[in-house]
Amino acid sequence: MLSSTLSFLVSKDGRKISNGDCALFRAGNAPPFIGIIRHQVVDEEGDVKLGVNWLYRPADVKLGKGASIEALPPNEVFYSFHQDEISGASLLHPCKIAFLSKGVQLPSGVSAFVCRRVYDVTSKCLWWLTDRDYTNDCIRVSSACLNQGHAS
C-alpha cells in the first residue's frame, strides 16, 4: 500500500493542524472526542488517515471495582495510551490541552482542557502524570492501583 506523509492538515475552520497537535473529532451525537494527532497520511485512494492518541472525559472512564472519580471540573480529561487510525474527515478543529502537575491550576483567562492524570484502559485505573509507576510506552500496573488511591 502506497501512502504519503503530510506535514500539516487544514481543519474545517481553516486552521492548520500538525503532528502533536490536540484536536476535537466528530463523535455522532455525543460530545466530540479529544485526541492528539500522532501521524497523518494520505492512502493510495487519496483519503487522509490520522493516527490519534485518545484522551478520555471522566464520563467515559470505566474504573475497576471499588474505585471512583471525585467531582472534577468539566474541562478535566485523562491522557491514555489508546491509539487508533481514523479518517481525517472526522477532524473538527484544534483545541488546547494544558498538561499540569497535581495541584497546579490553570491560569485565569486561559481556556483549555486540563490533563493531570493518565487513564490505563487495560487495568482500568488512573495515575497522576507525575507518578513514577509508568513509562512513555506503557503503564506498569500492580494491585496497588486501586488499593493505594491512584483513582482519586
Side-chain angles (χ1 to χ4, degrees):
M1 177 176 166
L2 297 174
S3 64
S4 60
T5 303
L6 299 172
S7 59
F8 67 88
L9 192 65
V10 177
S11 69
K12 297 193 183 341
D13 65 1
R15 292 184 273 180
K16 287 184 180 180
I17 298 180
S18 302
N19 294 344
D21 287 349
C22 301
L24 297 177
F25 299 88
R26 188 173 301 112
N29 293 330
F33 293 128
I34 305 162
I36 302 170
I37 298 173
R38 296 300 183 194
H39 68 268
Q40 308 170 44
V41 296
V42 178
D43 65 18
E44 56 192 22
E45 290 84 34
D47 296 323
V48 175
K49 300 290 182 186
L50 303 174
V52 178
N53 227 143
W54 297 114
L55 288 99
Y56 283 74
R57 297 175 192 270
D60 300 322
V61 169
K62 310 285 189 261
L63 294 178
K65 184 179 177 182
S68 63
I69 302 173
E70 76 282 358
L72 296 170
N75 64 334
E76 187 96 12
V77 294
F78 307 119
Y79 180 84
S80 79
F81 292 99
H82 174 196
Q83 294 184 10
D84 287 316
E85 188 165 272
I86 62 170
S87 168
S90 65
L91 174 67
L92 295 173
H93 57 80
C95 67
K96 293 180 183 177
I97 300 175
F99 289 87
L100 303 174
S101 298
K102 182 178 181 179
V104 174
Q105 298 300 314
L106 191 64
S108 62
V110 175
S111 177
F113 289 103
V114 173
C115 182
R116 293 184 179 90
R117 291 185 265 189
V118 176
Y119 173 48
D120 182 341
V121 297
T122 304
S123 63
K124 301 184 182 335
C125 67
L126 296 170
W127 300 87
W128 291 104
L129 287 174
T130 53
D131 280 350
R132 296 175 193 230
D133 296 330
Y134 70 88
T135 66
N136 288 337
D137 296 323
C138 65
I139 299 174
R140 290 191 317 246
V141 179
S142 69
S143 61
C145 178
L146 297 177
N147 298 332
Q148 294 184 359
H150 288 284
S152 58

